[in-house]
Short mmCIF file of all heavy atoms in Angstrom, two decimals:
data_model
loop_
_atom_site.label_atom_id
_atom_site.label_comp_id
_atom_site.label_asym_id
_atom_site.label_seq_id
_atom_site.Cartn_x
_atom_site.Cartn_y
_atom_site.Cartn_z
N GLY B 344 -33.88 14.92 5.54
CA GLY B 344 -35.30 14.87 5.41
C GLY B 344 -35.95 13.80 6.27
O GLY B 344 -36.90 14.05 6.96
N GLY B 345 -35.37 12.65 6.18
CA GLY B 345 -35.91 11.44 6.90
C GLY B 345 -35.84 11.77 8.36
O GLY B 345 -36.79 11.59 9.10
N LEU B 346 -34.70 12.36 8.80
CA LEU B 346 -34.52 12.70 10.19
C LEU B 346 -35.56 13.67 10.63
O LEU B 346 -36.23 13.46 11.76
CB LEU B 346 -33.12 13.16 10.38
CG LEU B 346 -32.51 13.04 11.83
CD1 LEU B 346 -32.39 11.59 12.11
CD2 LEU B 346 -31.14 13.73 11.88
N ALA B 347 -35.73 14.75 9.86
CA ALA B 347 -36.69 15.73 10.20
C ALA B 347 -38.08 15.12 10.27
O ALA B 347 -38.85 15.49 11.18
CB ALA B 347 -36.73 16.82 9.16
N TRP B 348 -38.43 14.22 9.36
CA TRP B 348 -39.71 13.65 9.35
C TRP B 348 -39.98 12.86 10.62
O TRP B 348 -41.03 12.92 11.32
CB TRP B 348 -39.82 12.68 8.14
CG TRP B 348 -41.20 12.02 8.02
CD1 TRP B 348 -42.36 12.59 7.64
CD2 TRP B 348 -41.44 10.62 8.33
NE1 TRP B 348 -43.37 11.64 7.76
CE2 TRP B 348 -42.83 10.47 8.10
CE3 TRP B 348 -40.62 9.60 8.78
CZ2 TRP B 348 -43.40 9.20 8.24
CZ3 TRP B 348 -41.22 8.41 9.04
CH2 TRP B 348 -42.59 8.17 8.75
N LEU B 349 -38.95 12.09 11.06
CA LEU B 349 -39.03 11.29 12.30
C LEU B 349 -39.33 12.18 13.40
O LEU B 349 -40.23 11.96 14.32
CB LEU B 349 -37.73 10.58 12.55
CG LEU B 349 -37.64 9.17 11.97
CD1 LEU B 349 -36.31 8.51 12.35
CD2 LEU B 349 -38.75 8.31 12.52
N VAL B 350 -38.57 13.24 13.56
CA VAL B 350 -38.75 14.25 14.65
C VAL B 350 -40.15 14.77 14.60
O VAL B 350 -40.84 14.95 15.65
CB VAL B 350 -37.70 15.35 14.55
CG1 VAL B 350 -38.03 16.46 15.54
CG2 VAL B 350 -36.31 14.85 14.69
N TRP B 351 -40.62 15.07 13.42
CA TRP B 351 -41.98 15.69 13.27
C TRP B 351 -43.03 14.75 13.77
O TRP B 351 -43.96 15.10 14.51
CB TRP B 351 -42.19 16.12 11.86
CG TRP B 351 -43.55 16.64 11.59
CD1 TRP B 351 -44.64 16.02 10.95
CD2 TRP B 351 -44.08 17.86 12.11
NE1 TRP B 351 -45.72 16.84 11.00
CE2 TRP B 351 -45.39 17.99 11.65
CE3 TRP B 351 -43.52 18.96 12.85
CZ2 TRP B 351 -46.16 19.10 12.00
CZ3 TRP B 351 -44.21 20.07 13.12
CH2 TRP B 351 -45.63 20.06 12.74
N VAL B 352 -42.88 13.52 13.35
CA VAL B 352 -43.91 12.45 13.78
C VAL B 352 -43.93 12.35 15.31
O VAL B 352 -44.98 12.36 15.92
CB VAL B 352 -43.53 11.09 13.13
CG1 VAL B 352 -44.35 9.98 13.77
CG2 VAL B 352 -43.82 11.13 11.67
N MET B 353 -42.76 12.27 15.91
CA MET B 353 -42.76 12.16 17.32
C MET B 353 -43.32 13.39 17.99
O MET B 353 -44.05 13.32 18.95
CB MET B 353 -41.29 11.96 17.86
CG MET B 353 -40.83 10.55 17.60
SD MET B 353 -39.11 10.30 18.00
CE MET B 353 -39.03 10.89 19.67
N LEU B 354 -42.99 14.52 17.42
CA LEU B 354 -43.44 15.79 17.95
C LEU B 354 -44.98 15.88 17.96
O LEU B 354 -45.57 16.23 18.99
CB LEU B 354 -42.82 16.96 17.16
CG LEU B 354 -42.73 18.25 17.82
CD1 LEU B 354 -41.86 18.07 19.08
CD2 LEU B 354 -42.12 19.24 16.92
N SER B 355 -45.45 15.56 16.81
CA SER B 355 -46.97 15.65 16.70
C SER B 355 -47.60 14.68 17.67
O SER B 355 -48.70 14.92 18.14
CB SER B 355 -47.49 15.44 15.21
OG SER B 355 -46.78 14.38 14.70
N GLY B 356 -46.97 13.46 17.79
CA GLY B 356 -47.50 12.50 18.79
C GLY B 356 -47.50 13.07 20.16
O GLY B 356 -48.53 12.96 20.86
N PHE B 357 -46.44 13.74 20.59
CA PHE B 357 -46.39 14.30 21.87
C PHE B 357 -47.41 15.37 22.02
O PHE B 357 -48.09 15.43 23.05
CB PHE B 357 -45.03 14.92 22.18
CG PHE B 357 -44.06 13.89 22.55
CD1 PHE B 357 -42.86 13.77 21.93
CD2 PHE B 357 -44.31 13.09 23.68
CE1 PHE B 357 -41.88 12.78 22.34
CE2 PHE B 357 -43.40 12.11 24.15
CZ PHE B 357 -42.23 12.02 23.43
N TRP B 358 -47.63 16.14 21.04
CA TRP B 358 -48.60 17.33 21.05
C TRP B 358 -49.97 16.69 21.22
O TRP B 358 -50.79 17.27 21.96
CB TRP B 358 -48.52 18.13 19.83
CG TRP B 358 -47.67 19.34 20.09
CD1 TRP B 358 -47.52 20.01 21.28
CD2 TRP B 358 -46.82 20.02 19.18
NE1 TRP B 358 -46.59 21.02 21.14
CE2 TRP B 358 -46.18 21.01 19.81
CE3 TRP B 358 -46.53 19.87 17.80
CZ2 TRP B 358 -45.28 21.92 19.20
CZ3 TRP B 358 -45.73 20.70 17.20
CH2 TRP B 358 -45.10 21.71 17.91
N ALA B 359 -50.27 15.59 20.58
CA ALA B 359 -51.60 15.04 20.65
C ALA B 359 -51.90 14.53 22.03
O ALA B 359 -53.06 14.43 22.41
CB ALA B 359 -51.76 13.93 19.60
N THR B 360 -50.78 14.14 22.73
CA THR B 360 -51.10 13.36 23.99
C THR B 360 -50.81 14.19 25.23
O THR B 360 -51.16 13.85 26.39
CB THR B 360 -50.31 12.10 24.04
OG1 THR B 360 -48.97 12.41 23.82
CG2 THR B 360 -50.83 11.07 23.09
N THR B 361 -50.09 15.29 25.14
CA THR B 361 -49.71 16.02 26.34
C THR B 361 -50.39 17.45 26.35
O THR B 361 -50.87 17.91 25.32
CB THR B 361 -48.19 16.26 26.40
OG1 THR B 361 -47.78 16.79 25.23
CG2 THR B 361 -47.49 14.98 26.75
N ARG B 362 -50.47 17.97 27.58
CA ARG B 362 -51.05 19.26 27.78
C ARG B 362 -50.06 20.20 28.48
O ARG B 362 -49.24 19.73 29.12
CB ARG B 362 -52.35 19.13 28.74
CG ARG B 362 -53.48 18.23 28.16
CD ARG B 362 -54.43 19.09 27.38
NE ARG B 362 -55.40 18.25 26.65
CZ ARG B 362 -55.08 17.71 25.54
NH1 ARG B 362 -53.98 17.75 24.96
NH2 ARG B 362 -56.07 16.98 24.87
N GLY B 363 -50.47 21.47 28.39
CA GLY B 363 -49.88 22.50 29.24
C GLY B 363 -48.33 22.52 29.11
O GLY B 363 -47.76 22.57 28.02
N PHE B 364 -47.73 22.51 30.27
CA PHE B 364 -46.25 22.76 30.33
C PHE B 364 -45.48 21.77 29.57
O PHE B 364 -44.58 22.13 28.79
CB PHE B 364 -45.86 22.73 31.82
CG PHE B 364 -44.36 22.96 32.04
CD1 PHE B 364 -43.82 24.25 31.73
CD2 PHE B 364 -43.55 21.96 32.45
CE1 PHE B 364 -42.54 24.41 31.90
CE2 PHE B 364 -42.23 22.20 32.62
CZ PHE B 364 -41.66 23.44 32.31
N GLU B 365 -45.80 20.47 29.66
CA GLU B 365 -45.10 19.43 28.95
C GLU B 365 -45.13 19.67 27.45
O GLU B 365 -44.16 19.60 26.78
CB GLU B 365 -45.67 18.10 29.25
CG GLU B 365 -45.20 17.50 30.56
CD GLU B 365 -45.91 16.24 30.90
OE1 GLU B 365 -45.96 15.28 30.02
OE2 GLU B 365 -46.43 16.10 32.01
N ALA B 366 -46.28 20.05 26.99
CA ALA B 366 -46.49 20.24 25.53
C ALA B 366 -45.56 21.35 25.02
O ALA B 366 -44.89 21.26 24.01
CB ALA B 366 -47.94 20.56 25.19
N VAL B 367 -45.48 22.39 25.87
CA VAL B 367 -44.60 23.51 25.56
C VAL B 367 -43.16 23.09 25.46
O VAL B 367 -42.39 23.33 24.53
CB VAL B 367 -44.78 24.64 26.54
CG1 VAL B 367 -43.70 25.77 26.29
CG2 VAL B 367 -46.19 25.19 26.47
N VAL B 368 -42.78 22.30 26.48
CA VAL B 368 -41.34 21.79 26.55
C VAL B 368 -40.99 21.02 25.29
O VAL B 368 -40.08 21.25 24.64
CB VAL B 368 -41.06 20.91 27.81
CG1 VAL B 368 -39.77 20.25 27.75
CG2 VAL B 368 -41.19 21.85 29.07
N PHE B 369 -41.94 20.02 25.02
CA PHE B 369 -41.64 19.17 23.83
C PHE B 369 -41.62 20.02 22.58
O PHE B 369 -40.88 19.77 21.64
CB PHE B 369 -42.71 18.00 23.76
CG PHE B 369 -42.49 16.98 24.75
CD1 PHE B 369 -43.49 16.52 25.59
CD2 PHE B 369 -41.25 16.37 24.80
CE1 PHE B 369 -43.26 15.52 26.51
CE2 PHE B 369 -40.97 15.34 25.73
CZ PHE B 369 -41.97 14.96 26.57
N GLY B 370 -42.54 20.93 22.55
CA GLY B 370 -42.67 21.82 21.36
C GLY B 370 -41.35 22.59 21.15
O GLY B 370 -40.77 22.57 20.04
N VAL B 371 -40.84 23.21 22.24
CA VAL B 371 -39.59 23.98 22.09
C VAL B 371 -38.47 23.04 21.67
O VAL B 371 -37.68 23.36 20.75
CB VAL B 371 -39.31 24.68 23.41
CG1 VAL B 371 -37.89 25.22 23.41
CG2 VAL B 371 -40.28 25.78 23.66
N LEU B 372 -38.38 21.86 22.32
CA LEU B 372 -37.31 20.93 22.03
C LEU B 372 -37.41 20.50 20.63
O LEU B 372 -36.40 20.50 19.80
CB LEU B 372 -37.49 19.66 22.92
CG LEU B 372 -36.27 18.91 23.25
CD1 LEU B 372 -35.34 19.73 24.22
CD2 LEU B 372 -36.57 17.60 23.89
N GLY B 373 -38.59 20.10 20.12
CA GLY B 373 -38.73 19.63 18.74
C GLY B 373 -38.39 20.69 17.72
O GLY B 373 -37.68 20.44 16.77
N VAL B 374 -38.90 21.91 17.95
CA VAL B 374 -38.62 22.93 17.01
C VAL B 374 -37.22 23.27 16.95
O VAL B 374 -36.56 23.41 15.91
CB VAL B 374 -39.53 24.21 17.37
CG1 VAL B 374 -38.98 25.40 16.54
CG2 VAL B 374 -40.95 23.93 17.18
#
Side-chain angles (χ1 to χ4, degrees):
Chain B
L346 206 62
W348 179 76
L349 270 182
V350 172
W351 178 252
V352 168
M353 281 177 55
L354 203 61
S355 45
F357 277 126
W358 264 328
T360 52
T361 48
R362 294 270 170 282
F364 179 66
E365 279 173 50
V367 172
V368 169
F369 285 124
V371 170
L372 207 71
V374 171

